[in-house]
Amino acid sequence: MTRGQTLLGVDPGLRRTGYGVIRSDGAQLAHLAHGVITAPTAAPLPERLAALFDALTALITKYAPDAIAVEQVFVNTNAQATLLLGQARGALLAAATRSGAPVAEYTALQVKQAVVGYGKAQKAQVQEMVRRLLALAEPPPPDAADALACAICHAHQSRHPLAAAALANVSGVTRRKGRLRWDAAALAQLSRNGEQR
């Protein structure tokens, strides 16, 4: 990742979608903004999805992120809740993709591992680590903390040379399901780079 980039993290939800904006400059992270997008609960589903799309589009216009990181959310206990959440994610991903900025997706396990160092960390632990990493006066609300954590996770991933190559669309390196995949030629190039150091 090039130095000095603005990253937007998104924690999808139909009722409450968290967002967080950070500035990443090498190993330095700076907080720019965070909050929660709420859709009118009494409105029909299409209107709620449109509200999410419009709100995220407005945030993208305001902060002009260089990349957008969206948390992959899975709900298995209730099929209806899973379907609704999937529709909300779809509206948010559409808004993110329409911006033209690269969009990355990370599982909750990956985000927690990157921020707390433990993939099964509790929400309070994520909030506290986000507070510390971004030097905030107090922990952000849970939804916003998850979004900021997603942006931090992307900043960490993007500093890795292979991740940077994937984001730059370098041949042979791709991102799939939040993980980097590289072909034999890309691995050979990585090996040559290591020998040159």
Side-chain angles (χ1 to χ4, degrees):
M1 186 168 91
T2 57
R3 294 177 68 83
Q5 292 208 15
T6 300
L7 305 176
L8 169 62
V10 181
D11 177 40
L14 184 58
R15 293 182 182 175
R16 295 171 58 84
T17 289
Y19 70 87
V21 187
I22 66 171
R23 188 79 178 162
S24 175
D25 189 357
Q28 299 297 315
L29 300 175
H31 171 267
L32 298 181
H34 70 265
V36 176
I37 299 168
T38 56
T41 55
L45 179 61
E47 292 182 20
R48 297 169 72 183
L49 296 175
L52 291 175
F53 182 94
D54 291 343
L56 188 59
T57 298
L59 286 169
I60 292 169
T61 300
K62 180 176 181 179
Y63 293 104
D66 297 292
I68 301 170
V70 182
E71 185 173 325
Q72 292 179 344
V73 184
F74 303 98
V75 179
N76 297 316
T77 56
N78 183 314
Q80 182 65 18
T82 302
L83 178 62
L84 291 172
L85 181 56
Q87 291 174 315
R89 283 192 78 246
L92 294 163
L93 283 170
T97 303
R98 189 180 183 205
S99 73
V103 178
E105 297 181 72
Y106 299 96
T107 65
L109 186 77
Q110 290 172 306
V111 171
K112 290 176 180 180
Q113 183 70 41
V115 174
V116 182
Y118 176 57
K120 295 184 179 179
Q122 300 297 313
K123 279 196 175 287
Q125 293 173 298
V126 174
Q127 288 174 272
E128 177 58 20
M129 283 306 299
V130 166
R131 183 194 72 77
R132 292 183 184 192
L133 289 170
L134 298 177
L136 302 175
E138 58 185 33
D143 298 306
D146 287 347
L148 287 167
C150 197
I152 293 168
C153 174
H154 185 71
H156 291 170
Q157 289 271 343
S158 300
R159 281 199 295 275
H160 190 284
L162 286 173
L167 292 173
N169 296 318
V170 171
S171 175
V173 184
T174 58
R175 186 185 295 277
R176 200 170 124 205
K177 294 187 176 179
R179 296 185 182 210
L180 293 169
R181 312 277 185 204
W182 48 90
D183 61 20
L187 280 173
Q189 182 61 47
L190 175 66
S191 178
R192 286 192 295 273
N193 291 346
E195 291 170 2
Q196 292 169 1
R197 287 177 186 169

